[in-house]
Amino acid sequence: MFTDCIIMAGGSGTRLWPASNSRCPKQFLEIPGGGTFFKSALERAFAVTESDGLVIIVTGMGHVPHVIKACGDLPEPQRKRIVVIPEPVGKNTAPAIACAATFIKKQATHNKRNALVLTSDHIIGPLQDFAADAATAAQLAASDALVVFGIPPQRPETGFGYIEAGSQVSPLGTGEAPETGVALEARAYKVTRFREKPDLATAQSFIAKGNFFWNSGMFAFSVDFMLSQFREHAPETIAPFEALPQPLPEHKETQQGVALLSRWPGLKEAYTAVAPISIDYAIAEKCPSVAMVASRFYWIDVGSWDEYAKILEQGKTEANSASQSVFTAGSSNCFVDSDIPVALCGVEDLIVVVRSGADGKTPSVLICKKGESQQVKTIVEQIKNADRGDLL
């Protein structure tokens, strides 16, 4: 299917503060069924990548220990296929993808490389449906198109970007993807345009029209095609990475059997030279050939404590129900995620998140009314303005 896969595993981790923070962002939190968001992304990557393909993880330097720990549990053949690229500084998604695509090109033994870019902080399933849609995306990417995954909207959501779909298109083949046996049945469309996060009235109009999809943030492309698009539309982003030397074995170190590209000469300078910009602004909105696969898999962007609480409660994970004691009197419909015992008296409809500082970090507590957890982003801004970076 794909010769290579890129997992974006950076981020500041503030939407689920204080459980998630810049040192341990959302992708390393637990999800129902065991494991973490990140471990789930690894499973998807290996499911849709050729047996000798690379799985490239672009992550912040501070997140490397979490990544290595997660990858260290994998079988040795999978660990040998992983390359971790530590970003000296986060510059959004376009530089991350530019760096990874350049690395693939410099390592390629042949030109026909195609890559799937995965997020690491979403819940996606079932794996079989995701693999089927990825097979369709791989076919479309082979025809020099940037392929995105659109999620059929379940509600008029104002927190997501949207994709406006045009006429339906067909992948290069039908039947089953070569070597996988995965049926190619997903619907695919030309992309008319991308739309930014709308207000409620606009979101409602999108739903009524029926040809708008949520933007999942995942992409597929031929590596050569993507590099050409960077050169045309964002040369200032790609140039510093293309100027880097050929990655050599001595530029890597090995931790728990996983290659860490920590000594690539010029990488820090390349990241310093580029401006922060998303792949949507830099490439997707300017690319003349964009196709969309309408997903058959379910996709949950856990962007608030209200959503995460529902998921944990439904999954009855250790983080919610068994890790610490919760005592209540005259209280109802409250969610608690705490590493110390908590008592609730005479309250209802609360989300309570406690981090005691037992791990050496600054203690912090969040208490909010259910339905109001989107305001956490306002709290995070106040923390930044108060120069309390130790809390983030």
Side-chain angles (χ1 to χ4, degrees):
M1 301 216 315
F2 288 95
T3 60
D4 306 284
C5 189
I6 301 165
I7 300 178
M8 295 184 292
S12 57
T14 55
R15 290 194 292 177
L16 295 181
W17 181 87
S20 170
N21 53 51
S22 60
R23 296 174 295 275
C24 183
K26 182 175 73 175
Q27 57 263 35
F28 304 114
L29 297 182
E30 295 289 326
I31 59 174
T36 63
F37 290 90
F38 177 71
K39 287 293 288 284
S40 179
L42 282 173
E43 182 182 17
R44 291 192 293 276
F46 286 111
V48 301
T49 308
E50 294 178 1
S51 59
D52 60 347
L54 295 174
V55 174
I56 300 165
I57 302 166
V58 185
T59 190
M61 282 190 171
H63 307 155
V64 168
H66 297 291
V67 169
I68 296 298
K69 180 180 179 181
C71 294
D73 295 333
L74 296 172
E76 183 179 3
Q78 291 185 344
R79 280 183 280 139
K80 287 184 175 180
R81 293 167 52 193
I82 294 173
V83 177
V84 180
I85 301 180
E87 292 185 294
V89 59
K91 290 294 184 76
N92 213 319
T93 53
I97 293 173
C99 179
T102 301
F103 174 80
I104 292 171
K105 180 65 176 177
K106 290 178 180 290
Q107 292 283 286
T109 56
H110 59 83
N111 290 327
K112 294 182 179 179
R113 311 295 293 191
N114 64 340
L116 176 65
V117 176
L118 298 180
T119 56
S120 61
D121 57 355
H122 297 147
I123 295 177
I124 291 173
L127 184 59
Q128 181 178 357
D129 287 352
F130 176 79
D133 287 352
T136 300
Q139 295 286 318
L140 291 167
S143 61
D144 282 348
L146 174 62
V147 186
V148 297
F149 294 83
I151 310 299
Q154 305 300 311
R155 58 188 181 277
E157 174 62 56
T158 61
F160 300 152
Y162 284 74
I163 302 167
E164 183 177 354
S167 59
Q168 192 164 358
V169 297
S170 299
L172 296 181
T174 57
E176 295 182 346
E179 300 181 1
T180 67
V182 175
L184 299 177
E185 300 172 350
R187 297 169 298 155
Y189 303 87
K190 291 182 180 179
V191 171
T192 300
R193 57 178 169 169
F194 293 88
R195 301 292 291 264
E196 296 302 314
K197 297 175 181 179
D199 58 26
L200 180 58
T202 303
Q204 289 171 335
S205 72
F206 288 169
I207 301 299
K209 289 177 180 177
N211 65 325
F212 283 81
F213 296 77
W214 292 338
N215 188 349
S216 72
M218 297 182 289
F219 301 87
F221 48 78
S222 155
V223 172
D224 283 337
F225 177 72
M226 175 55 80
L227 292 175
S228 73
Q229 292 303 295
F230 266 107
R231 296 182 194 115
E232 180 176 353
H233 302 298
E236 68 286 350
T237 300
I238 194 64
F241 296 107
E242 291 198 308
L244 294 174
Q246 182 79 12
L248 300 174
E250 56 263 35
H251 298 154
K252 303 174 185 176
E253 61 177 297
T254 301
Q255 295 185 15
Q256 297 189 36
V258 176
L260 177 64
L261 192 62
S262 57
R263 306 185 186 114
W264 197 3
L267 182 64
K268 181 178 180 180
E269 290 75 13
Y271 266 91
T272 301
V274 298
I277 186 171
S278 72
I279 191 67
D280 302 78
Y281 285 132
I283 304 298
E285 294 182 0
K286 302 173 183 176
C287 180
S289 179
V290 185
M292 184 200 78
V293 175
S295 74
R296 288 174 292 176
F297 56 86
Y298 66 78
W299 174 89
I300 304 173
D301 178 14
V302 186
S304 71
W305 270 108
D306 281 290
E307 295 174 23
Y308 192 41
K310 289 178 183 177
I311 290 169
L312 293 181
E313 287 171 332
Q314 291 169 359
K316 297 181 180 179
T317 67
E318 182 179 346
N320 175 48
S321 60
S323 59
Q324 292 294 337
S325 299
V326 177
F327 305 93
T328 64
S331 299
S332 63
N333 195 33
C334 293
F335 171 85
V336 177
D337 183 351
S338 173
D339 58 3
I340 58 175
V342 169
L344 303 175
C345 299
V347 295
E348 59 184 17
D349 300 330
L350 292 183
I351 293 173
V352 180
V353 186
V354 181
R355 291 298 178 266
S356 66
D359 55 0
K361 299 172 183 175
T362 306
S364 50
V365 177
L366 168 70
I367 302 173
C368 75
K369 183 179 179 181
K370 284 189 173 181
E372 300 293 334
S373 64
Q374 290 287 357
Q375 295 194 53
V376 169
K377 61 185 178 182
T378 303
I379 298 298
V380 168
E381 287 303 314
Q382 291 181 14
I383 292 172
K384 290 178 181 178
N385 293 337
D387 199 25
R388 289 298 309 273
D390 58 305
L391 293 173
L392 303 176

